Amino acid sequence: MSRDGDAGAERGTGGPPLRAVPTTAAADAPDADALLRAVARGDERAFAGLYDLLAPRVYGLVRRVLRDPAQAEEVAQEVLVEVWRTAARFDPARGSAASWVFTIAHRRAVDRVRAEQAGADRVRRVAASSAETPYDDVVDQATTRLEQQQVRRCLKALTELQREAITLAYYGGYTYREVAELVGAALPTVKTRMRDGLIRMRDCLGVSVG
Amino acid sequence: MTGVDIHALAGAYALDALDDVERAAFRRHLAQCEACAIEVTELCETAARLADATAAAPPPQLRGRVLAEITRTRQVGPASADTGRARAGTGWRRWAAGAVAAAVLAIAASGVTYVIQEDRVRQAGQVQAVLAAPDAVVQRAPAKGGGEVAVWTSQSRAARVVMLDGLLAPDAEHAYQLWFIRDNTPTDAGTLGAGMGNGVRLLEGVSGGSLAVTLEPAGGSVAPHEPLLATVPLG
Ligand SMILES: [Zn+2]
């Protein structure tokens, strides 16, 4: 196993590169929290606004985990409709609207990947990743937003094992047991690296809740 | 799982990197441990920021489909009105995990889950190692009747990964069998499960020749029966 990145970092040739889409600068972006509150009251126009704000990251995240554009489109649709359906359950005291949406998206994508078990689908996903742009290139293309620059900078500030554990789990959809196997580290070490790596990310990004 | 161990799972939980049984255990823990509940809320918010680096243009037709579907989709009320379940701990996060939690495996089933998981890990690890090797090359060939056979070869790993993808599923009495063919002499390279049109096999060694696929009685044959459904030259 290469140790230089996440599950998508295999170098490969051919295949279209991931296209990162510049999203609206944070300063003048409509507020996702306000939009989601309006969506909870049944406001379809607010939902369209929320779609424009968050769909590129919902789709991008799901595609990154699933490695399959067709499945990603299907799952992204499920996620976005689920956001509409359950908007009233969003609780701002527990985090931001964007992270609520991305959490649903990630959970769905990971459930889909795990359901594939060890079958051909899972290998196809892994294999497809070899045709994708290496991780750093993706990040390089996605630096138009301040937040993206921050995420990249903060990921780079982690130790190699912290970064590897976090990116394999989050972008690769692997359990920590699988991550331990893939990187050849002990289970308690991987657990710890995930936690202290995220704590370091949290402090680096200045995340606070409530 | 001991109480000391379980706090350490906060990071893996925030990354969705626990299996169903562990996630259920950790969520029970969250209801009782305020420190973990606070930490997990922040770590989930942090993990979600990783989505920022993945932004990609959704297919243009997705927007219209989603906006049309919501006009037909009834919204639900706040969770407190929906179920009597406790909202202690990290409310929305607990809810987000709830889709799976609804199907959480009974503890009695956890032994079985573990075995499956371990096999999957072993296979995923070895297969991944070949696919991720810097020198991995892939060769593909279409199969007669549909689907394709792909072979990844890593000289540095001295192994190959063979994938049968979308071949016609045989009946329960038959299975696809793989053969190394060298100097016109076939050697058994493994048999898929009966009735399986998809499968992955890890093959040790990288000697040359070609790889062929035939349809055989379930369990495999000692020599291949014509026709060869696919032949992949091995570099
Ligand atoms: Zn705790």
Side-chain angles (χ1 to χ4, degrees):
Chain A
M1 167 80 198
S2 79
R3 295 186 54 86
D4 59 357
D6 72 338
E10 292 84 17
R11 74 277 322 121
T13 54
L18 276 180
R19 271 190 309 127
V21 173
T23 39
T24 324
D28 54 9
D31 179 343
D33 286 72
L35 287 170
L36 187 56
R37 279 194 297 276
V39 169
R41 298 188 298 269
D43 184 335
E44 293 179 10
R45 270 190 51 188
F47 182 82
L50 193 67
Y51 180 98
D52 293 336
L53 192 62
L54 301 183
R57 280 174 282 170
V58 167
Y59 174 73
L61 175 60
V62 168
R63 191 178 73 173
R64 183 149 177 92
V65 174
L66 292 174
R67 310 285 180 199
D68 178 339
Q71 275 199 65
E73 186 177 345
E74 185 187 319
V75 171
Q77 180 168 348
E78 284 173 21
V79 168
L80 290 158
V81 171
E82 187 70 3
V83 166
W84 163 263
R85 201 176 72 79
T86 59
R89 295 187 180 171
F90 166 63
D91 177 357
R94 312 281 181 199
S96 70
S99 90
W100 183 73
V101 171
F102 300 150
T103 298
I104 294 172
H106 192 256
R107 183 73 253 157
R108 282 286 176 108
V110 163
D111 283 348
R112 177 72 71 105
V113 162
R114 306 245 169 101
E116 290 170 353
Q117 295 289 349
D121 283 348
R122 188 170 173 88
V123 171
R124 190 157 45 232
R125 184 175 69 86
V126 174
S129 72
S130 67
E132 282 190 22
T133 313
Y135 172 68
D136 279 340
D137 291 359
V138 176
V139 177
D140 282 339
Q141 292 163 24
T143 51
T144 49
R145 284 180 86 206
L146 177 63
E147 287 91 336
Q148 290 168 344
Q149 289 174 349
Q150 276 185 336
V151 168
R152 179 190 182 205
R153 181 170 55 78
C154 293
L155 272 174
K156 284 197 165 161
L158 301 179
T159 68
E160 189 188 354
L161 187 53
Q162 285 173 337
R163 182 170 53 248
E164 206 166 30
I166 286 173
T167 55
L168 277 170
Y170 196 78
Y171 296 133
Y174 292 101
T175 65
Y176 78 93
R177 288 178 194 283
E178 291 173 314
V179 170
E181 185 86 10
L182 288 169
V183 305
L187 279 177
T189 309
V190 169
K191 267 190 283 195
T192 308
R193 291 299 90 83
M194 286 177 172
R195 178 164 174 256
D196 59 29
L198 276 182
I199 288 171
R200 207 152 147 183
M201 286 285 289
R202 177 196 69 193
D203 296 343
C204 179
L205 291 165
V207 168
S208 64
V209 174
Chain B
M1 206 166 333
T2 72
V4 177
D5 274 335
I6 203 160
H7 305 288
L9 289 176
Y13 177 83
L15 293 165
D16 286 328
L18 298 179
D19 66 32
D20 292 346
V21 174
E22 290 169 320
R23 183 163 55 245
F26 189 74
R27 290 177 67 232
R28 282 194 298 276
H29 173 70
L30 280 179
Q32 301 148 9
C33 179
E34 188 63 21
C36 276
I38 291 167
E39 179 173 287
V40 153
T41 301
E42 290 182 350
L43 296 190
C44 287
E45 184 78 16
T46 304
R49 291 289 305 276
L50 292 166
D52 285 352
T54 66
Q61 69 275 13
L62 182 63
R63 190 176 195 273
R65 281 217 311 270
V66 169
L67 296 187
E69 192 175 342
I70 64 147
T71 65
R72 303 187 297 266
T73 302
R74 198 185 149 91
Q75 292 181 297
V76 300
S80 51
D82 183 62
T83 111
R85 266 189 295 145
R87 302 230 322 136
T90 58
W92 65 257
R93 174 64 191 198
R94 288 160 58 81
W95 168 81
V100 171
V104 156
L105 302 164
I107 293 304
S110 66
V112 176
T113 307
Y114 185 74
V115 171
I116 293 169
Q117 178 89 349
E118 288 298 291
D119 275 345
R120 184 158 74 90
V121 165
R122 233 186 316 279
Q123 165 155 355
Q126 291 171 339
V127 166
Q128 171 90 14
V130 172
L131 298 177
D135 64 341
V137 293
V138 61
Q139 276 149 311
R140 302 164 186 275
K144 285 179 186 139
E148 77 165 358
V149 177
V151 180
W152 285 263
T153 300
S154 166
Q155 299 288 339
S156 66
R157 292 272 168 184
R160 304 183 196 270
V161 169
V162 179
M163 179 176 70
L164 272 61
D165 183 9
L167 274 63
L168 199 64
D171 62 36
E173 261 62 64
H174 291 85
Y176 289 110
Q177 187 167 1
L178 310 177
W179 306 90
F180 282 127
I181 300 185
R182 211 165 295 130
D183 304 319
N184 285 323
T185 308
T187 315
D188 177 24
T191 304
L192 265 60
M196 304 282 288
N198 295 301
V200 172
R201 282 291 177 278
L202 182 83
L203 306 177
E204 317 253 295
V206 288
S207 43
S210 59
L211 184 115
V213 178
T214 60
L215 189 62
E216 303 292 344
S221 303
V222 292
H225 292 84
E226 299 281 349
L228 303 186
L229 298 171
T231 307
V232 184
L234 300 176

